[in-house]
Amino acid sequence: MRKKGNKKEEWTGPLISLSGVDVVYSTGTEALKNCNLRIDKGEFVFVVGSSGSGKSTLIKSLLGEIPLNAGDIQVAGNSITNLKRKKMPYYRRKLGVVFQEFRLLDDRNIYDNVALAQQVLGVDRYRIEKNVKGMLQLVGLQDRADAFPKELSGGEQQRVAIARAMVNRPSVLLADEPTGNLDPQNSWDIMNLLDDMNRLGTTVMVVTHNNEIVDQMRKRVVTLNQGVIISDQVQGGYVQ
């Protein structure tokens, strides 16, 4: 449902909705099977499961990187299942994405890596400078703006990746194994930072195999097994 008023219409239904989603790869592998999932605005959700359970496929489906064989995915009430290819880049710009591998541009300094996300949207230079500096301060890297990725630790590089993902203030932040290449201390630093982003109002979905973090943070946990959502639990009580 879209709430109407004097301001721009605001979506009041589930922010992310999967209905009967099937994904079958060309090899015949059934990566997702009849997946139904609802995530509301402002939630923090972990997606867990063993290797090959369909976790990364779920993220790729939300990004529109792989086609569905059945079902529908909606984000803020808009179906992305049949979204035309030319419109897909514009849709993806509304999402923040963080990967295990950081994916920073080695030939650009930290400021420019984060600024690029705004430049592709045509944001003016003054606003870019204000937004990038503010985001770097938020992730604790305001003094490293001129450094290059190779001069930073893994934890610092992931902080840059989060700043880049968040600088456009997306409604959804998707993180695919964001602590996979980090030591325990840096892993906790990154998860606490993602929690901070959630507290600012961003809906966060984190794919992870780090059971210790999942257990201690006590968020909503969606468990996949061989492409099937087998549980949806939060703080000891089931969502589904």
Side-chain angles (χ1 to χ4, degrees):
M1 175 182 293
R2 295 190 183 278
K3 185 177 180 181
K4 295 184 178 181
N6 294 329
K7 297 182 179 180
K8 185 178 179 180
E9 291 185 5
E10 180 181 355
W11 177 250
T12 59
L15 189 60
I16 298 172
S17 176
L18 279 72
S19 302
V21 170
D22 291 345
V23 173
V24 183
Y25 289 117
S26 58
T27 58
T29 300
E30 295 179 282
L32 295 177
K33 305 174 189 176
N34 192 32
C35 288
N36 297 285
L37 182 65
R38 167 181 170 146
I39 297 175
D40 293 326
K41 182 179 179 181
E43 286 199 84
F44 189 120
V45 181
F46 282 114
V47 178
V48 302
S50 59
S51 178
S53 62
K55 303 187 303 296
S56 292
T57 298
L58 177 60
I59 293 290
K60 291 177 181 178
S61 298
L62 287 168
L63 288 171
E65 292 183 352
I66 52 178
L68 307 184
N69 293 88
D72 183 42
I73 293 178
Q74 295 195 13
V75 178
N78 298 306
S79 175
I80 65 170
T81 306
N82 299 311
L83 194 64
K84 293 182 179 179
R85 181 174 296 182
K86 64 180 181 180
K87 293 186 177 181
M88 191 61 72
Y90 299 98
Y91 160 72
R92 290 173 182 158
R93 291 172 188 173
K94 299 178 182 179
L95 306 176
V97 188
V98 178
F99 300 98
Q100 177 177 340
E101 306 87 2
F102 315 139
R103 301 192 184 184
L104 302 178
L105 299 176
D106 290 335
D107 61 342
R108 300 191 183 209
N109 63 24
I110 301 314
Y111 179 95
D112 288 338
N113 263 275
V114 178
L116 181 61
Q118 296 240 283
Q119 291 167 351
V120 297
L121 297 182
V123 178
D124 65 75
R125 185 177 299 180
Y126 171 78
R127 288 175 57 203
I128 289 177
E129 182 176 1
K130 179 181 178 181
N131 293 339
V132 172
K133 287 183 176 179
M135 190 55 61
L136 288 177
Q137 183 173 8
L138 189 62
V139 301
L141 292 175
Q142 63 270 25
D143 297 330
R144 305 303 306 274
D146 294 329
F148 285 81
K150 291 183 178 180
E151 299 174 319
L152 303 183
S153 68
E156 289 173 328
Q157 289 187 60
Q158 193 63 293
R159 285 176 175 270
V160 177
I162 293 172
R164 179 185 58 190
M166 289 296 300
V167 72
N168 289 329
R169 301 293 182 180
S171 56
V172 178
L173 177 62
L174 305 175
D176 192 358
E177 300 284 5
T179 65
N181 289 332
L182 305 178
D183 60 49
Q185 181 57 56
N186 277 309
S187 294
W188 274 112
D189 290 343
I190 292 303
M191 293 311 305
N192 287 331
L193 185 56
L194 292 177
D195 199 24
D196 289 342
M197 298 302 172
N198 178 241
R199 293 175 188 276
L200 292 174
T202 302
T203 302
V204 177
M205 176 186 284
V206 178
V207 166
T208 185
H209 63 271
N210 193 318
N211 292 328
E212 179 183 358
I213 284 176
V214 173
D215 291 343
Q216 292 195 35
M217 290 190 69
R218 298 184 62 77
K219 303 290 187 178
R220 179 179 173 186
V221 182
V222 173
T223 304
L224 281 164
N225 182 36
Q226 296 183 341
V228 178
I229 296 176
I230 60 172
S231 72
D232 191 347
Q233 190 177 19
V234 56
Q235 304 235 353
Y238 281 89
V239 176
Q240 295 180 351

